[in-house]
Amino acid sequence: MFWLTLALFIFIFQIATILILEFRRPAKSVAWILIMFVLPVIGFVMYYFLAKEYRNRHKIRKRGIPPEEVRLTALRRSKLVHRPSDMNNGEFQHQERLFHLLHHFTDSPITGCNKAEILTDGQATFDAIIAAIEKAEHHVHMEYYTIRHDEIGCKFKDLLIRKAKQGIKVRLIYDGVGSYELSSEYIRELKQAGIETECFLTPRIAFFDKRINYRNHRKIAIVDGTVGFIGGINIGDEYLGKNPKLGFWRDTHVRLEGDSVYYLQEVFLKDWWFTAREKLSDPEYLPQHHCSTDEQVQIVSSGPNSGLEEILECVFAALAAAKKRIYIATPYFIPDESLLMALRTAALSGVDVRIIIPGVSDSKLVLAASLSYVEELMSAGVRIYRYGKGFMHAKVLLVDHLLASVGTANMDLRSFYSNFEINALLFDPRPMKKIEEDFIEDLANSHELTLHEIRSRPLRSRFGQVVARMLSPLL
């Protein structure tokens, strides 16, 4: 009886600890309690190392603060948008609430002198980035979740080494988990050529510092502070369709010129300060650009070291403002309750809501969790499609003709709460038109699900999706 009582006490203590620490996010509490029931002791150890609340760590918040002169220089050189009436997009004239929310993000204001080019696949993206690096005269800054030692990875390695030998300053940040397969030989060759490389939280350090659950999921490149790239594409052969399981890889990236590159650069400088503890204050990192177009762009970054969920708040506000259409493409669809309600409400109000998710996925568990949301959304009028040409990895949101979002954040809880992410909000008709055209083509390559099809799925599939949904806050 003594040992039984002791075991019961320990179990109750573990459950109480989770309920107290995770009271702000009930869904996360349920997921961890489920794990506790299955793995009573091991589950609590997992919780201790994986679920540490990142944003409460004062030293981490402090390390994330950029040098002040970086921000001042960017503000002085940027053409900023301060009022809804200053927006080129006429639909914003009556969207004061949405505008003021976006304007509230003072770390990433709406900039007014930009040019955005939509890149629809891996080949176009790699060609554009390589072409920009070839022309580099001062520096190349790259930050990627995944870098692979494969054919395209070696092509970038050789190019960066060649540019470094020409006197170009090259810096590279890669994530310790996303790039865990990257060989030490690859990094050694870069360092021997004078390229500065930093790993964002190696798995060993992250594990013992209880931060392994928080990853740098950003995928950005900046050349000479005047050209920037942001989107869903890492550096690996699979993005060229060379993964035999996934096949064709559908993705979206953006090439930027103009004021927005300053804020893309600022994110890199923050992350370099975080990883290398080196302050980069050379004015050449924020040079005078020569972009003469007037496209308006906003760079929005978020992470667990912030007091806000900026990307989640942007997405929710955009969905709430929709009057005609909401188009979403995402590889991982695990919305929180606020987004689920916003999508259902929009569809019930007559908004054309369409969501494309993968037909074939790189994670069966995540796909099962995504499918668990389908029936309730379709019952409200949301149209769900499964992409059939290959793997859908694009992270795209298009709301009316109001705005489009392209970046690294998936439509899931991990991107909104746990990862370091970055998106570009585009407000002008030209890039939005290209995103719309790509989305329509993706619909043609997709299979639309029906309620009969969903309701007829086997009981085994239903049960698996329920379990996956309960665990989804941790995926």
Side-chain angles (χ1 to χ4, degrees):
M1 286 296 296
F2 170 77
W3 293 110
L4 183 61
T5 302
L6 180 61
L8 181 61
F9 173 79
I10 293 174
F11 183 74
I12 293 174
F13 170 78
Q14 293 174 357
I15 299 298
T17 300
I18 293 174
L19 291 175
I20 291 171
L21 295 180
E22 303 294 345
F23 73 94
R24 289 186 179 88
R25 292 177 60 188
K28 188 175 179 182
S29 299
V30 170
W32 278 113
I33 290 172
L34 176 62
I35 291 177
M36 294 297 177
F37 274 106
V38 177
L39 303 168
V41 177
I42 298 174
F44 192 74
V45 174
M46 291 171 59
Y47 176 80
Y48 179 78
F49 283 103
L50 297 179
K52 179 69 176 179
E53 185 58 46
Y54 199 109
R55 71 191 66 213
N56 291 334
R57 300 170 63 92
H58 176 72
K59 69 175 184 178
I60 297 301
R61 295 201 309 270
K62 191 173 182 180
R63 285 181 68 183
I65 298 174
E68 183 63 23
E69 61 266 26
V70 172
R71 164 148 295 280
L72 293 176
T73 302
L75 285 172
R76 284 195 297 268
R77 290 186 172 176
S78 298
K79 178 183 177 182
L80 305 182
V81 179
H82 297 288
R83 295 176 297 274
S85 57
D86 294 333
M87 294 292 290
N88 297 335
N89 188 330
E91 290 198 19
F92 255 94
Q93 305 303 317
H94 306 291
Q95 291 289 349
E96 291 193 5
R97 289 181 61 189
L98 176 58
F99 177 86
H100 286 303
L101 172 76
L102 300 178
H103 186 63
H104 177 73
F105 300 139
T106 54
D107 283 347
S108 53
I110 300 174
T111 59
C113 185
N114 300 280
K115 180 181 179 182
E117 178 185 357
I118 306 301
L119 304 168
T120 306
D121 56 37
Q123 189 64 62
T125 298
F126 291 142
D127 288 347
I129 296 175
I130 288 171
I133 294 175
E134 289 281 9
K135 297 178 181 178
E137 297 179 352
H138 183 264
H139 68 272
V140 176
H141 289 162
M142 302 180 70
E143 181 173 347
Y144 283 89
Y145 177 67
T146 300
I147 300 175
R148 301 200 187 280
H149 194 168
D150 54 17
E151 185 176 349
I152 190 64
C154 287
K155 187 173 184 178
F156 270 95
K157 173 174 64 69
D158 294 343
L159 174 59
L160 294 177
I161 289 173
R162 177 158 54 84
K163 297 304 291 187
K165 290 181 178 178
Q166 293 173 6
I168 306 302
K169 194 65 179 177
V170 181
R171 294 183 178 89
L172 175 67
I173 300 173
Y174 60 96
D175 186 77
V177 171
S179 300
Y180 75 95
E181 293 181 344
L182 188 62
S183 69
S184 57
E185 176 190 355
Y186 189 102
I187 299 300
R188 184 170 59 252
E189 289 185 52
L190 293 177
K191 289 183 176 181
Q192 287 175 347
I195 296 171
E196 296 183 48
T197 66
E198 291 291 337
C199 179
F200 183 92
L201 295 179
T202 63
R204 183 178 61 181
I205 293 175
F207 181 79
F208 287 106
D209 204 19
K210 293 172 287 189
R211 288 180 283 161
I212 198 167
N213 201 39
Y214 302 100
R215 310 314 314 167
N216 189 329
H217 197 238
R218 293 168 181 157
K219 308 155 185 66
I220 58 178
I222 306 105
V223 178
D224 291 340
T226 58
V227 179
F229 298 86
I230 176 177
I233 297 176
N234 287 292
I235 297 177
D237 284 348
E238 65 264 38
Y239 295 86
L240 295 170
K242 296 182 180 181
N243 184 307
K245 174 189 172 184
L246 300 175
F248 175 76
W249 193 287
R250 172 68 181 92
D251 222 320
T252 301
H253 226 73
V254 184
R255 182 186 188 276
L256 294 170
E257 295 180 27
D259 294 335
S260 59
V261 182
Y262 292 150
Y263 294 91
L264 202 61
Q265 180 80 289
E266 185 184 12
V267 170
F268 180 88
L269 297 179
K270 282 184 182 181
D271 290 342
W272 190 257
W273 173 246
F274 181 98
T275 55
R277 300 308 304 273
E278 180 185 10
K279 182 186 295 186
L280 302 177
S281 55
D282 187 336
E284 286 300 316
Y285 296 128
L286 295 162
Q288 185 69 47
H289 65 72
H290 304 289
C291 179
S292 59
T293 53
D294 63 350
E295 291 181 17
Q296 294 168 335
V297 176
Q298 183 175 23
I299 301 297
V300 182
S301 62
S302 66
N305 63 334
S306 172
L308 301 172
E309 283 81 33
E310 289 93 338
I311 292 178
L312 173 60
E313 292 175 4
C314 285
V315 172
F316 176 81
L319 297 182
K323 295 180 179 178
K324 297 179 181 178
R325 67 177 182 184
I326 296 171
Y327 292 167
I328 296 172
T330 180
Y332 314 121
F333 181 70
I334 304 176
D336 76 343
E337 289 301 318
S338 65
L339 296 188
L340 198 61
M341 179 65 72
L343 290 168
R344 292 183 71 254
T345 302
L348 290 169
S349 302
V351 177
D352 179 14
V353 183
R354 306 190 190 201
I355 302 172
I356 302 177
I357 61 175
V360 56
S361 177
D362 60 346
S363 172
K364 292 182 178 180
L365 186 60
V366 173
L367 180 59
S370 298
L371 291 173
S372 72
Y373 295 92
V374 166
E375 184 173 347
E376 60 188 292
L377 286 172
M378 291 177 65
S379 297
V382 177
R383 301 176 69 179
I384 309 289
Y385 299 78
R386 294 191 64 180
Y387 189 69
K389 187 177 178 180
F391 179 46
M392 169 56 70
H393 193 256
K395 304 127 183 358
V396 170
L397 168 67
L398 185 62
V399 176
D400 294 346
H401 293 91
L402 192 64
L403 63 80
S405 172
V406 178
T408 69
N410 298 303
M411 197 69 66
D412 69 353
L413 301 177
R414 170 164 291 281
S415 286
F416 294 141
Y417 293 109
S418 299
N419 286 343
F420 292 83
E421 304 279 4
I422 185 167
N423 282 8
L425 300 184
L426 312 174
F427 304 99
D428 281 72
R430 189 184 61 82
M432 280 196 284
K433 181 65 175 176
K434 172 59 175 170
I435 291 172
E436 178 185 3
E437 291 172 351
D438 288 346
F439 190 88
I440 297 301
E441 183 176 345
D442 292 337
L443 289 178
N445 290 313
S446 301
H447 164 67
E448 183 174 5
L449 298 177
T450 65
L451 274 174
H452 175 73
E453 183 179 350
I454 293 301
R455 289 170 178 168
S456 300
R457 67 193 187 277
L459 182 61
R460 180 179 59 186
S461 297
R462 288 174 176 266
F463 178 76
Q465 291 166 14
V466 168
V467 173
R469 180 162 175 167
M470 292 178 68
L471 294 173
S472 63
L474 311 181
L475 297 179

